[in-house]
Amino acid sequence: LVGFDTSDDAAIYRLGPELAAVQTVDLFPPVVDDPYHYGAIAAANSLSDVYAMGGRPVTALNIICYPGGSLSMEVLTQILKGSSDKIAEAGVSLVGGHTLEDPEPKYGLCVLGVVHPDKIVTNSGSRPGDLLVLTKPLGLGILTTALKADLLGEDAIARITEVMERLNREAAEAMVEVGVNACTDITGFGLLGHLYEMAHGSGVCARVYASRVPVLHEVWPLVEERIVPSGTYANMEYLKDNIRWGEGVSKETQIVLCDAQTSGGLLISVSREKCDALLQALESRGVPERAVIGEILDQPSGVILVEP
């Protein structure tokens, strides 16, 4: 039912009239120093693709690359414990996995979920008039880059760890309950990269109001010093012909809106009539960020307008 034609978050295969399978895979190197939290973040990130499709993850397989000769087995144990705890929090069964020797540790999950074929949420269903709702703040790529350079304090580390570990389950449940038109999760291509995929796949144009986008406050002094991951600059280069920057949108803001995220939030395209219901459903489930950041326009496909 869903392949990779529209750069969606997961594949969906119909198993029967009322049941479809959702499948995805993801892994990456450490983004924090603590192995337990790294495992939890990687698990939350992998599960997120199923949530973004409106699905419920049911099983997971570990995918582990590990330098057994240079790192202790205790570090690996903690990575797997962090992941196992997050998988259990999600109500998912860990059913196996695969390990291989690699000079750089990498970890993630292959996740299988289920969804009713009539309740699939793709990234290509946005309609003119929809509002855009974001459920986590931006800046995670910049902050994890600063962490690697020992430029973050303990409070900031705790904050980004909490954001990246937070499951998108509650946000997904809210959008499925209300009924939305499109969704994607915000990861390596940044907010505007994933929004471009949504707009292009839907044949619409999007407008974002930069001042409405939630951003972790620790980001701004770092981005002024250009402590920015290479992936963020790659996103800006890739999107340069498809973004129209409004007057007054600073270079720093442009960078943040393209920042490559790890385990970011959901970007939901919802009709104006249902937006209040979605915000209430998100609030009732304890989702901290629920920002209306823009809208979908009936203009040339794939173009993103960014206003202050």
Side-chain angles (χ1 to χ4, degrees), residues 5 20 82 102 140 153 164 171 178-179 225 229 258 284 293 297-298 300:
D5 295 340
D102 194 289
L140 296 167
M164 291 188 289
V178 171
E225 297 294 326
C258 294
S284 68
I293 65 166
L297 307 174
D298 188 9

Side-chain angles (χ1 to χ4, degrees), residues 141-177:
I142 293 165
L143 288 164
T144 53
T145 298
L147 173 59
K148 293 173 185 176
D150 294 325
L151 297 175
L152 283 193
E154 291 301 318
D155 289 346
I157 294 172
R159 171 67 171 142
I160 62 171
T161 298
E162 183 276 326
V163 172
M164 291 188 289
E165 284 184 355
R166 189 191 313 150
L167 292 173
N168 281 323
R169 176 180 54 191
E170 286 73 20
E173 290 173 349
M175 76 171 185
V176 170
E177 174 191 303

Side-chain angles (χ1 to χ4, degrees), residues 120-127 130 179-183 268-271 274:
I120 296 168
V121 183
T122 71
N123 69 354
S124 56
S126 289
R127 300 172 185 170
D130 281 3
V180 304
N181 292 330
C183 179
I268 303 169
S269 182
V270 59
S271 68
K274 293 183 177 181

Side-chain angles (χ1 to χ4, degrees), residues 224-241:
E224 288 176 1
E225 297 294 326
R226 295 302 187 262
I227 299 169
V228 176
S230 59
T232 297
Y233 288 123
N235 290 340
M236 296 183 74
E237 176 65 20
Y238 175 73
L239 293 168
K240 64 182 181 181
D241 295 330

Side-chain angles (χ1 to χ4, degrees), residues 26-31 38-39 42 62-67 71 76 79-80 98-109:
D26 205 340
L27 79 165
F28 50 76
V31 291
Y38 164 48
N62 281 323
I63 304 175
I64 307 163
C65 302
Y66 199 73
L71 286 177
L76 178 56
I79 293 171
L80 295 178
H98 187 72
T99 307
L100 66 155
E101 185 87 12
D102 194 289
E104 181 182 31
K106 305 173 188 71
Y107 176 72
L109 299 174

Side-chain angles (χ1 to χ4, degrees), residues 255-269:
I255 290 171
V256 171
L257 294 180
C258 294
D259 187 37
Q261 305 297 279
T262 297
S263 193
L266 299 185
L267 178 65
I268 303 169
S269 182

